[in-house]
């Protein structure tokens, strides 16, 4: 039986939490670069009563994204996108971060936007890191938002000599995510669909644990110790926000980014985390 299809890119804790919250009446198609990760998450969801299948997808490759979308369309119209894939500054090189988190996300939003069902919705997971940089200015923001996807990585601001380190690459990628969501919301709106982003702070996931144990571990531990919430967040708290954005209660929200970081960004600019 054909159903509305939810595609979930990134077989991790956040993607699964969102899928469990809103995927109960849909065909949930899970994709990850690591085939075994996608299979494991699909099996967990199947054992909980969800109609889930899985496939491999490489977010850094347009052909792989297109193949995954085609696979998902075998089950019905795509009504929901959840993009929770990405790599962190402690996990990958500058080149990989820009190719996956920046370019790959831009391609995914573009290609899903061409086929999203009337009335459909999507969320992509960005990061509080995008808020930590100084303003780039209207001209550079527009470049991040509107440059053709295949030309994005040729922008002067994204060339290797312009990127200081992996954290800077990650911040640029997440700033770009938010700007691409704004631009894509206009295109998705032509199909009666919506797209938003969520910028989490420190959320306890395997990726976050890599960060805690990486070279910036003390920085991150200090962040949630001194933020107003005095703790890291959970994947289910991100899913709470995603449920609003993906559902009918969020029908007037599109092209937006929701910062969910326990007040860490507020503390960074106006509190004890201020540099």
């Amino acid at each position: 039986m054909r159903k509305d299809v939810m595609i979930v890119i990134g077989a991790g804790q956040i993607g699964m939490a969102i899928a469990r919250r809103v995927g109960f009446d849909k065909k949930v198609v899970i994709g990850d670069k690591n085939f075994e990760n996608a299979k494991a998450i699909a099996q967990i969801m199947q054992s909980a009563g969800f109609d889930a299948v899985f496939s491999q997808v490489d977010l850094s490759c347009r052909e792989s994204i297109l193949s995954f979308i085609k696979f998902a369309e075998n089950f019905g119209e795509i009504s929901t996108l959840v993009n929770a894939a990405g790599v962190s500054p402690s996990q990958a090189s500058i080149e990989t971060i820009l190719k996956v988190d920046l370019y790959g996300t831009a391609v995914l939003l573009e290609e899903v936007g061409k086929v999203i069902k009337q009335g459909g919705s999507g969320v992509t997971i960005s990061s509080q890191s995008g808020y930590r940089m100084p303003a780039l200015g209207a001209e550079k923001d527009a470049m991040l938002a509107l440059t053709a996807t295949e030309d994005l990585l040729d922008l002067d601001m994204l060339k290797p000599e312009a990127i200081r380190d992996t954290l800077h690459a990650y911040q640029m990628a997440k700033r770009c995510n938010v700007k691409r969501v704004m631009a894509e919301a206009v295109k998705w709106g032509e199909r009666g669909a919506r797209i938003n982003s969520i910028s989490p702070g420190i959320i306890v996931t395997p990726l976050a644990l890599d960060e805690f144990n990486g070279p910036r571990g003390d920085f991150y531990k200090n962040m949630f110790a001194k933020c107003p919430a005095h703790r890291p967040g959970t994947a289910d708290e991100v899913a709470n926000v995603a449920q609003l954005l993906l559902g009918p209660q969020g029908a007037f929200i599109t092209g937006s980014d929701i910062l969910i970081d326990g007040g860490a960004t507020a503390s960074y600019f106006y509190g004890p985390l201020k540099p």
Side-chain angles (χ1 to χ4, degrees), residues 167-244:
L167 179 59
H168 184 209
Y170 188 73
Q171 290 174 330
M172 287 296 290
K174 298 309 179 181
R175 181 69 63 85
C176 183
N177 292 167
V178 171
K179 298 304 175 183
R180 295 305 284 200
V181 161
M182 293 178 73
E184 284 295 334
V186 178
K187 299 176 184 178
W188 283 47
E190 294 172 1
R191 300 179 64 90
R194 301 180 295 106
I195 179 69
N196 292 287
S197 59
I198 299 173
S199 288
I202 303 300
I203 305 297
V204 179
T205 66
L207 184 149
L209 293 175
D210 282 347
E211 290 295 310
F212 296 162
N213 296 315
R216 282 177 287 275
D218 288 342
F219 170 82
Y220 288 109
K221 292 171 186 176
N222 182 61
M223 186 188 302
F224 63 71
K226 292 183 178 179
C227 76
H230 300 296
R231 64 172 178 86
T234 67
D236 285 288
E237 288 173 304
V238 179
N240 289 340
V241 177
Q243 184 176 27
L244 167 67

Side-chain angles (χ1 to χ4, degrees), residues 133-150:
M133 293 191 306
L136 296 175
E139 182 179 357
K140 288 184 177 180
D141 280 348
M143 289 178 182
L144 291 176
L146 299 171
T147 298
T149 48
E150 293 306 316

Side-chain angles (χ1 to χ4, degrees), residues 3 6 19-26 28 49-51 243:
K3 296 182 177 180
M6 164 188 276
R20 289 173 67 100
R21 192 66 59 86
V22 299
F24 49 86
D25 59 347
K26 300 177 179 67
V28 181
F50 290 86
D51 186 1
Q243 184 176 27

Side-chain angles (χ1 to χ4, degrees), residues 6 33 37 42 46 49 89 92 109 130 141 147 152 158 169 181 184 191 193 232-233 247 254 259:
M6 164 188 276
K33 186 176 182 180
N37 285 351
Q46 288 166 2
L109 298 181
D141 280 348
T147 298
L152 261 173
L158 298 177
V181 161
E184 284 295 334
R191 300 179 64 90
T254 192
L259 179 64

Side-chain angles (χ1 to χ4, degrees), residues 29-30 42 48 54-55 57 61 82 117 126 142 158 241 247:
V29 183
I30 299 167
F54 60 93
S55 183
V57 60
C61 174
V82 176
K117 182 179 179 179
S126 186
L158 298 177
V241 177

Side-chain angles (χ1 to χ4, degrees), residues 86-94 97 101 127 129 165-171 174 207 211 215-216 220:
V87 292
S88 78
S90 295
Q91 289 181 320
S93 66
I94 290 172
I97 290 168
D101 289 15
S127 170
S129 286
D165 51 30
T166 58
L167 179 59
H168 184 209
Y170 188 73
Q171 290 174 330
K174 298 309 179 181
L207 184 149
E211 290 295 310
R216 282 177 287 275
Y220 288 109

